[in-house]
Amino acid sequence: VQLVESGGGSVQVGGSLTLSCVASGDTIGRYCMGWFRQIPDREREGVAAIDSDGSTSYADSVKGRFTISQDNAKNTLYLQMDSLRPEDSDMYYCAAGADWGYGSSWYLARPSRFGYWGQGTQVTVS
């Protein structure tokens, strides 16, 4: 499956952005889908994940501010980001992983379980 992110940009503190990830080559509803973020010299951090049953999980740092969703008809994954903070500034990546039923929280903690990655989209909050 190929993944292409969009929607990043620069926003003021407290603002909102919506990231999109369009998939091709397979149906995202079969996968556990996730959003991760990373800056150079840091480990990739799970932000949010949604499994094939529609169950969602979030990093503690974004709970109540970010919402992950997907539109299977459009084969697109979204990340609605509200109340953005400077520490949310990062490169955001969309990822897809084979869903073996361990639950979205399990996958969120294990970036290595995602075999397909997009090229990333930059978010800057200032």
Side-chain angles (χ1 to χ4, degrees):
V1 60
Q2 293 78 46
L3 305 170
V4 178
E5 305 97 331
S6 62
S10 296
V11 64
Q12 292 185 336
V13 173
S16 298
L17 280 175
T18 301
L19 305 184
S20 300
C21 173
V22 178
S24 59
D26 206 343
T27 304
I28 63 172
R30 300 178 54 214
Y31 293 86
C32 182
M33 301 296 297
W35 287 99
F36 294 81
R37 60 189 182 188
Q38 183 180 27
I39 59 173
D41 299 326
R42 250 180 50 190
E43 291 186 358
R44 196 162 286 188
E45 175 192 24
V47 176
I50 181 168
D51 65 22
S52 59
D53 291 330
S55 174
T56 59
S57 294
Y58 298 90
D60 288 343
S61 58
V62 307
K63 280 180 182 176
R65 300 189 298 120
F66 290 11
T67 304
I68 188 172
S69 63
Q70 64 186 47
D71 185 333
N72 289 340
K74 295 182 178 180
N75 222 26
T76 301
L77 180 73
Y78 302 99
L79 184 68
Q80 175 66 40
M81 304 187 295
D82 298 317
S83 302
L84 282 162
R85 305 168 179 170
E87 55 265 37
D88 295 319
S89 298
D90 232 322
M91 183 71 80
Y92 284 74
Y93 298 88
C94 168
D99 192 341
W100 296 101
Y102 295 116
S104 56
S105 61
W106 188 89
Y107 285 98
L108 186 64
R110 294 166 175 81
S112 63
R113 293 291 180 166
F114 290 79
Y116 305 96
W117 293 83
Q119 82 289 350
T121 185
Q122 179 67 42
V123 171
T124 303
V125 185
S126 60

